[in-house]
Every structure is written in C-alpha cells, then in structure tokens.
Amino acid sequence: QVQLVESGGGLVQSGGSLRLSCAASGIIFSGYVMGWYRQAPGKQRELVARITTSGTTNYADSVKGRFTISRDNAKNTVYLQMNSLKPEDTAVYYCNAFLSVLITSDYWGRGTQVTVSS
C-alpha cells in the first residue's frame, strides 16, 4: 500500500520559518511528480509548489520567493522550506504524488497543520 506521511507543521510567528517533510513508501518515488498543496478553512485546496522527476519546480505566485520545494530520492522524501511566513499561509498542507504512464496514479497524504500567528 502507498503511504505519504507529512511532518513538520506547527505554530510559528509571522516572519518565522518551518520545514515540512513528506516521506513516501509503496511507490517508485523517483518516477513521481511531487507537490505540496494547502487548504484553509472555507477555501478550495490550492497548489503551493511542485517538483518534477527532473527537478523542475513551480510555485504559486503567493509563495514565490519565500518557499522552496526540494526532493531527496535516496530518502523517498520531499521537503517544503517555508520562510518569511505570513498569517495568510495558515492552512493544512498536503503532500501529493502524481504519475501518468499507462494509467494515472494520484496519492495524497493526510496533511499537517501550519498556523502562523500575527
């Protein structure tokens, strides 16, 4: 079975930093596009950042310049370094693994809460 387990969330002051981790098992990790999404109460889930199998990254405009996504294929782990955090970053952050070859595979973690106080 596939598992994506997020960690690193918590409470931080405005302007502070957190690093989220997502450990994957049950998949050939290096073959998947990995992403971080977030969902605030009453809002739709949105893409925060993603990284392709070749290392190309993409960020939401709201986090560009503040967040950095990276992956360590040897550890089957994707990271999200979050700096200069703002209260509007408060949300549940979800890890995603995506692959489409002959069939589409799309997996989600259960999320980790990030709360930024002002």
Side-chain angles (χ1 to χ4, degrees):
Q1 65 275 21
V2 176
Q3 270 195 296
L4 303 177
V5 181
E6 301 96 336
S7 62
L11 176 64
V12 66
Q13 291 181 305
S14 181
S17 298
L18 285 173
R19 188 176 78 152
L20 305 183
S21 299
C22 172
S25 60
I27 61 171
I28 307 299
F29 180 82
S30 60
Y32 282 76
V33 176
M34 301 299 299
W36 287 97
Y37 293 72
R38 67 186 181 188
Q39 187 168 24
K43 294 189 175 182
Q44 296 289 100
R45 188 173 299 189
E46 65 174 348
L47 175 69
V48 176
R50 63 186 170 200
I51 183 166
T52 70
T53 56
S54 62
T56 301
T57 58
N58 181 261
Y59 299 92
D61 288 341
S62 59
V63 308
K64 203 168 295 181
R66 300 187 297 121
F67 291 10
T68 302
I69 189 171
S70 61
R71 65 192 296 161
D72 187 339
N73 289 342
K75 295 182 178 179
N76 286 3
T77 301
V78 63
Y79 305 95
L80 185 68
Q81 179 66 47
M82 305 185 294
N83 299 325
S84 302
L85 282 161
K86 305 173 180 180
E88 50 262 46
D89 296 318
T90 296
V92 177
Y93 284 71
Y94 297 91
C95 180
N96 171 257
F98 179 80
L99 171 68
S100 183
V101 184
L102 296 178
I103 190 170
T104 297
S105 299
D106 194 8
Y107 302 107
W108 294 88
R110 294 199 287 195
T112 185
Q113 177 71 48
V114 171
T115 303
V116 185
S117 64
S118 58

